[in-house]
Structures are given as C-alpha cells and as structure tokens.
Amino acid sequence: MIELFAMAAATAALPASTFKPTGKWTLDYQPALCLLTRQFTKEPAKATFGLRQAPADSQSEAILLFDDDADDRVRRGIVAVKLPGAGKAVLSGSAVSTRVPGSRQRLLRFLVPHSTMTALAQETSVTVEELGRPEMTFDLEGASGAIRALQTCEAEHIRAWGVDPSLMAAPAKPIGDVVAWFAFPLQAAVNRQAGETTVRWKIDVSGRVSDCIVLQSSGHAALDTAACARIAKLGRYTPAVGKDGKPMPWVETRRIIWALG
C-alpha cells in the first residue's frame, strides 16, 4: 500500500457543494490491478472516490462509495461525468450502483475511457451525476501526482508481463467492434448467470491474438470460457508500433461485465 501526500491546493474556485478531501490519495498495488482512492466529506455526508485500472485496459473503472437512503435495489442507468477544465466536457455511460450490505452506503461503478483517467490529472474537480440523483462534485487536490503514481503502477504490471510500454509509440488498435466479441453465451443466459470476467491476451507483431488467460473469474465457468474463446476466434488488431517505427508485441486486458437485462 502506497500513500500519496496531497500536493498544493487547487486554485480554481469550486462549487459550494463540493466534497472536500479528508485524507491522502491511497494507491493499492493488487494482482493485475491498480486501485487509487481517496476519502471525502461534505458534512455530514462522507464519500470515497476512486479509480480501478487493469493494466493495458483501454478503459478505467470509476468507483464512488457514498451515503444514501435505505433503498436496497440495484440501480442501473446513466451516469454523467463533467470535467470543467476540458470546457465543461460531459462524458456519459452506463452505470450500476448497489447497496453495501449492512450499511447505508451505496457503491456506484462505471467505465470511462483510459484517456479520461489521464485527463483527471489536469483537473481541479470532477462532477458525477447518477441519472435522477443529485450531483456530487469532488475537489481533486493532489490528483496530478496521484494519477502519475497510478500510471506507474500500470506500467510496472505491464513490464512484469514481458512488454515495455515505454518503447511503444502507438497502441494496438482492434479491428471491428470489440463489444461484439463478447456476446452473452446462450447457456449462461438460460441459467441466469452473471458476473465479471477479467482476461488478458497477447497481440503479436502481425496483430493476431494468443494466450488468453483469465485474471479474475466471474464465478461461472461458462462465462470465463466464453471470454477467451471469443477473443481467440474474433480478436484481430492493427499491431502496436514501437518508437523505432516497427510493429511490436503488446498485451491487452479487458474487464467484461456480463449483465442480464
């Protein structure tokens, strides 16, 4: 566990409703995962904002743990993320929030492009709005150093897999719709199975994939097996390019959320 000391306070004016940090940014090196979190408060409410980065994943997962009412239902809907420094840019995507058992807190999770994680290093605040719920704005004091440490964690994981990200000039690009690669397996749907599978695979200098492995199981063999089977069958890439201008091998990680409607 690495604790990152907060840097100088942000100079831009923040809304009165902003949650202020109550502790340091904390970076946790986990197997095949980097987790960055910080605790916040806007009296009397408390919240934790964080980012989960699977190394070499084109997406980052934002997590938000906050005080809520006693509603035990799973909420699925749209979340909006506002980045004021980027011209009030708004990103939207699907999200799921669940009640933390035995508490009045709720965990909100949603995916953002990896580039958004990088952009947060230049922001003084970020606003998250779960559709139909009040906005929550977080003061990102010290985020620049914290995001750099998160990127270092990611790079160290990738190097441990035999690839040096510092040698890459352009990442491998998938050919076709990646989402379509992971069609829900019929048998798992019939059995009402759901969960999350995290997989990693290699991409060679010709753009072909190989050696898909499950890093985190969904708990259902049908889902895990389907993930790697679909990658082997459909995965095709324009290969990564090194700084020497030549194709280079790469790896990719993907967290697949198998959710039933």
Side-chain angles (χ1 to χ4, degrees), residues 77-214:
I78 300 298
V79 66
V81 182
K82 302 178 183 179
L83 305 177
K88 298 188 181 299
V90 178
L91 304 171
S92 61
S94 59
V96 60
S97 68
T98 55
R99 166 72 53 196
V100 177
S103 78
R104 291 183 61 86
Q105 289 193 309
R106 180 169 285 273
L107 178 63
L108 175 68
R109 304 168 58 200
F110 54 96
L111 296 175
V112 296
H114 190 283
S115 57
T116 300
M117 179 196 76
T118 304
L120 287 175
Q122 308 304 319
E123 296 289 346
T124 57
S125 68
V126 61
T127 299
V128 178
E129 181 185 6
E130 185 183 3
L131 186 64
R133 302 282 167 172
E135 290 185 346
M136 289 178 281
T137 298
F138 297 90
D139 180 345
L140 292 180
E141 173 189 333
S144 179
I147 295 295
R148 285 198 300 271
L150 181 61
Q151 293 169 327
T152 297
C153 174
E154 180 184 15
E156 289 179 357
H157 273 299
I158 295 172
R159 290 191 186 97
W161 296 339
V163 180
D164 187 350
S166 69
L167 300 178
M168 185 179 68
K173 296 181 180 179
I175 299 173
D177 183 4
V178 176
V179 174
W181 296 357
F182 303 109
F184 208 109
L186 178 59
Q187 191 58 49
V190 170
N191 293 331
R192 304 295 296 173
Q193 295 174 342
E196 296 181 17
T197 304
T198 301
V199 290
R200 185 186 78 226
W201 58 91
K202 295 179 181 178
I203 305 167
D204 68 17
V205 294
S206 67
R208 294 184 178 276
V209 304
S210 64
D211 300 334
C212 179
I213 63 171
V214 175

Side-chain angles (χ1 to χ4, degrees), residues 73-78 94-98 130 194 257-261:
R73 293 176 299 173
V74 175
R75 295 201 301 250
R76 300 184 188 275
I78 300 298
S94 59
V96 60
S97 68
T98 55
E130 185 183 3
I257 302 174
W258 308 100
L260 296 167

Side-chain angles (χ1 to χ4, degrees), residues 30 66 199 259:
Q30 299 180 357
F66 58 98
V199 290

